Amino acid sequence: MTAMQWFFSFLKKYRLKLIIALILVTFASSLTIINPYISGIIVDDVIKGGKTDILPKLIIILILTTLVRSIIKYIYLYIFEISSQRMLYTMRDYVYRRFLEEDFSFYNKNRTGDLMSRQTGDMDAIRHFVAWVIYNIYENILLFCFAIIMIFTVDYRLALCMIAVMPLTVLTTSKQLKAIKPAFHNIRKQFSSLNTFVQENVSGNRVVKAFAKEDYEIEKFNKENDGYRDAELNSAKMWRKYVPVFEFLSSSLTFILYLVGGIMVVKGSITMGKLVTVSGYLWMLNNPLRMAGWLANDYQRFVTSVEKIYATIKEDPTIKTPTNPVKQKHFNGEIEFKHVNYRAEDDVILTDINFKVTPGQTVGIIGATGSGKSTLMNLLCRFYDVTDGEISIDGVNVRDLDLYNLRSNIGMAMQDVFLFSDTIEGNIAYGNPNCTFEEVQAAAKVANADAFIVNMPDGYDTIVGERGMGLSGGQKQRISLARALLKNPSIVILDDTTSAVDMETEAQIQSELGALTDRTVFIIAHRISSIKDADLIIVVDDGKILESGNHDSLIEKKGYYYTVFNHQYGEFDHYKRSKQKGGKNNG
Ligand SMILES: Nc1ncnc2c1ncn2[C@@H]1O[C@H](COP(=O)(O)OP(=O)(O)O)[C@@H](O)[C@H]1O
Ligand SMILES: [Mg+2]
């Protein structure tokens, strides 16, 4: 499908309405023929011929046509406006759904600001086209043709002289269209870039302030702003060149009319009234010529926007539900990784991962930062797909499962906590909005969050700002943990969820979690104390499983785990194996 076909697939639903509207445009345009024609009759028959008795009738016709034309115009403007708004609504909805369907790789690739521009500026260019440009192009072409036809009926020689400027107009319009296309692409690019910059700076505003980098950021912003202004000016410069040409072409019609027409009236080959009629049609020729440049501009703006939006969403997400997913609503939580390899682009991230977890077990995954712990869990949730090997839950390959089903069985507290600007209760209940307040509170208690929440001014109704502003790192982590638990999933993943919580609170959380024996729990950590009691501990280093077992067996083994355990901090980040080997890792 091309970008335009994609656009027309949205327009299709409004086809009938638009056709009716275009018929109305046709009708209204054809009415414009009447007034100049009547003016001619007034000059020839009333003024010169003295038939004053028909004058009132003619005036009434003039008034009536104008009135009817206005009413029709009102109706078709309304249809175009309504259709464009509705079409845009559907399109925006579709694009938004696509955004939500997209996988992690899509969001790694696309900047937020770009995506925002697709949904705002680009959508608006499309709406403008449907609401205004379509009928204007059509109306102007009609007016032009009607005028030419009417002039032909008056006198073919005069008509031919006036048509002579046509090829020049067509040529200029097509040249302009070609010339401004790159300029519009550039405008859209700069606009996205400006948007991205503002979005990043607004959300990263605390970092900017903390480093007192306001001046630096303003300077950078000015560059973006300059870039956008220059892109706009550049396109304006492009089409400004064409404005005088169109202006000249349209004025030349006036010269031609009065020169050729004047001579003909003097020679007596046409009447004065005919000349008045033709000059009444003049604007119908002039107007399209004057408008051609503007409409070409708007058209190109529209095409660029459709192309931009389509390019963003045209590729299907690589991770999606298979056509015939295995129907299984609830999992027991048996998980197996079989020879799993994962590469991102050309980087080898995980190599030959094998382990098996029985339902209800607690698994500790430990290793230094960047060793691949989060990636293991991302593969389990199918945020990315394995390159080789297989991950199965209850014996079913995760790739054969319905994505929605798979993920609704997993409660995940992610490493970088994201909270919505909503109440604390709303944030915790996110995965299960129909739950009772008691359930929210119970989850918060397990996560050791209840105590600090009830101490807040509005308790559970406290609105946490964007991304959870106003809360400490540890508080955010505990809310995110409560959110993961409330879903009541058979698999719980806690990715570094207690890293910002003090040791004592962490121990309390662990004893609460330990009581949940009916689910499989993964705890990712780099502090041994966080996972010491796990049934299975997996030590990850540089994308490989180095050793695994429970705490006692790993200590007995006297390997990497043992070394780190005996080290002052018991933290994997403070003791890298490669350091010991003199390898490349840095802290
Ligand atoms: N989608 C990806 N594309 C490229 N590199 C990735 C991707 N995901 C993870 N990585 C890289 O893989 C390595 C492991 O990352 P991660 O699993 O987040 O480590 P950990 O959670 O153990 O700190 C890191 O070097 C990271 O940069
Ligand atoms: Mg991680």
Side-chain angles (χ1 to χ4, degrees), residues 2 36 54 86 299 309 322 334 366 393 453 501-502:
T2 65
I54 59 166
R86 290 197 182 144
Y299 172 73
I309 295 177
E334 181 193 283
I366 196 151
I393 299 184
I453 296 173
V501 189
D502 58 86

Side-chain angles (χ1 to χ4, degrees), residues 37-55:
Y37 187 74
I38 303 254
S39 314
I41 296 178
I42 291 175
V43 171
D44 279 354
D45 295 357
V46 180
I47 301 176
K48 284 183 153 179
K51 292 189 205 157
T52 42
D53 53 323
I54 59 166
L55 188 59

